[in-house]
């Protein structure tokens, strides 16, 4: 039978444990309310907006970056028909397209020409834009090796893989095709190239993929999984199939104009591009003297 002293000691230990647990819960709740700093950014957007400054000017000048899809990008002549829901055809020939999505300095990233050909341009844009975002933040990319840096990439299509399979004879498919086209490899390539040890994931939630990637990056920072996060989104049009399928649903705007929340809305317009944000917890960003471009106050 335990004496009174033992009972009091056990109760005290339980009370201390509960207090410690409550303190930890309060710390986690406070962390979830902590603002996240944007300390670097880079982009590749239609209309020649290859830097955040170019993109801002495009918005200020109210320029329309949507155009008829150039013939050298997609063979629309064989699949275009202005009549909606024509089998195998698209009634929309509009999109926001990049000027040269395939251009890539493979040697700079230590990638052989043979491997570069098999790389989805989405991977290429992510490598270039992530490097530029780190430079924009004043961070030497090679100093991140071994660090708890997370990679969160919103990516939902792999049209370049479809194109590769159509134009390449089976016996000429190389070992690079899989890692060059898989959606998961879009994020894994960044983690591997920079030598990062934090969470790494490709996120496909359709049109919200980039937003969800940012949300996951913020949560990872707030939960102290990572000290720095690369949050990105990328998309590329490489085959007309997506246009044809969306046309069968009547989803696309035949005029090439998105009129959100308007009675004149008649559909959406597909687009391509890449955006990268470099995110950090508020306290560390202020401590390290980072140039803060903006704050993310919450996400859900």
């Amino acid at each position: 039978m335990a004496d009174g002293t033992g009972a009091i000691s056990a109760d005290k230990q339980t009370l201390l444990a509960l207090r410690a647990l409550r303190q930890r819960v309060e710390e986690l709740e406070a962390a979830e309310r902590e603002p996240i700093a944007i300390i670097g950014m880079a982009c590749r957007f239609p209309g020649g907006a290859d830097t955040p400054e170019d993109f801002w000017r495009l918005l200020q000048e109210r320029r329309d970056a949507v155009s008829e899809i150039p013939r050298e990008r997609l063979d629309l002549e064989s699949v275009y028909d202005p009549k909606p829901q024509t089998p195998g055809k698209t009634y929309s020939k509009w999109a926001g397209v990049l000027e040269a999505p395939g251009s890539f300095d493979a040697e700079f990233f230590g990638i052989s020409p043979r491997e570069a050909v098999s790389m989805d341009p989405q991977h290429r844009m992510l490598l270039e834009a992530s490097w530029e975002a780190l430079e924009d933040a004043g961070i030497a990319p090679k100093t991140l090796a071994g660090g708890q840096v997370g990679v969160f990439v919103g990516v939902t299509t792999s049209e370049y893989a479809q194109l590769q399979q159509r134009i390449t004879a089976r016996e000429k498919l190389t070992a690079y095709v899989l890692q060059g086209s898989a959606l998961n490899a879009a994020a894994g390539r960044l983690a591997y190239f920079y030598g990062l040890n934090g969470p790494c994931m490709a996120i496909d939630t359709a049109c919200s993929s980039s937003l969800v990637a940012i949300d996951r990056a913020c949560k990872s920072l707030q939960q102290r999984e990572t000290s720095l996060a690369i949050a990105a989104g990328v998309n590329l049009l490489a085959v007309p199939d997506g246009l044809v399928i969306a046309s069968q649903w009547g989803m696309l705007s035949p005029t090439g104009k998105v009129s959100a929340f308007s009675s004149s809305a008649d559909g959406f317009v597909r687009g391509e591009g890449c955006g990268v944000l470099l995110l950090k917890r508020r306290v560390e960003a202020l401590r390290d003297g980072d140039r803060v471009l903006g704050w993310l106050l919450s996400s859900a």
Side-chain angles (χ1 to χ4, degrees), residues 35 40 51 70 106 172 199 229 275 293:
T51 67
K172 292 187 178 180
L293 304 174

Side-chain angles (χ1 to χ4, degrees), residues 36-284:
I36 299 299
I38 303 172
I39 64 170
M41 61 173 64
C43 66
R44 297 283 187 279
F45 290 141
D50 290 338
T51 67
E53 292 77 16
D54 290 338
F55 183 56
W56 183 245
R57 278 192 292 271
L58 184 146
L59 295 176
Q60 283 186 316
E61 296 168 5
R62 300 185 178 186
R63 285 187 279 126
D64 189 349
V66 172
S67 63
E68 287 193 25
I69 301 175
R71 183 177 300 178
E72 61 269 19
R73 290 297 310 280
L74 290 179
D75 178 20
L76 283 184
E77 293 182 4
S78 61
V79 294
Y80 175 72
D81 191 309
K83 183 180 178 182
Q85 295 182 318
T86 302
K89 303 290 184 179
T90 175
Y91 60 82
S92 175
K93 52 185 177 181
W94 307 91
V97 296
L98 297 170
E99 295 177 359
S103 61
F104 179 59
D105 190 349
E107 184 178 357
F108 179 85
F109 293 97
I111 296 172
S112 69
R114 188 182 182 195
E115 180 180 359
V117 171
S118 298
M119 276 180 63
D120 189 327
Q122 294 181 127
H123 294 205
R124 307 177 202 176
M125 287 190 285
L126 284 168
L127 277 172
E128 291 186 338
S130 63
W131 185 281
E132 291 172 9
L134 290 166
E135 287 188 328
D136 185 53
I139 297 174
K142 294 299 184 181
T143 64
L144 299 179
Q148 287 300 114
V149 180
V151 178
F152 305 84
V153 175
V155 55
T156 188
T157 63
S158 53
E159 294 190 4
Y160 188 73
Q162 299 175 44
L163 179 63
Q164 287 275 84
Q165 291 167 6
R166 291 180 186 180
I167 65 175
T168 307
R170 186 173 299 153
E171 61 272 14
K172 292 187 178 180
L173 292 174
T174 71
Y176 294 123
V177 172
L178 179 61
Q179 69 187 47
S181 59
L183 296 185
N184 49 56
R189 190 179 293 277
L190 298 186
Y192 176 78
F193 177 74
Y194 296 116
L196 311 179
N197 288 345
C200 174
M201 61 191 73
I203 297 170
D204 177 7
T205 57
C207 300
S208 63
S209 298
S210 298
L211 288 175
V212 176
I214 292 173
D215 174 77
R216 291 298 90 199
C218 289
K219 296 296 188 293
S220 181
L221 287 164
Q222 291 166 336
Q223 294 169 8
R224 302 303 194 266
E225 283 184 333
T226 54
S227 57
L228 187 71
I230 298 171
V234 67
N235 193 51
L236 178 80
L237 311 181
V239 293
D241 299 38
L243 292 169
V244 172
I245 293 170
S247 292
Q248 302 309 302
W249 281 96
M251 294 176 173
L252 301 176
S253 168
T255 60
K257 303 294 181 184
V258 178
S259 305
F261 312 111
S262 169
S263 59
S264 61
D266 59 0
F268 71 89
V269 179
R270 296 193 69 196
E272 56 188 16
C274 176
V276 176
L277 296 180
L278 202 62
L279 306 177
K280 200 172 187 179
R281 287 186 294 271
R282 176 182 182 275
V283 63
E284 280 89 353

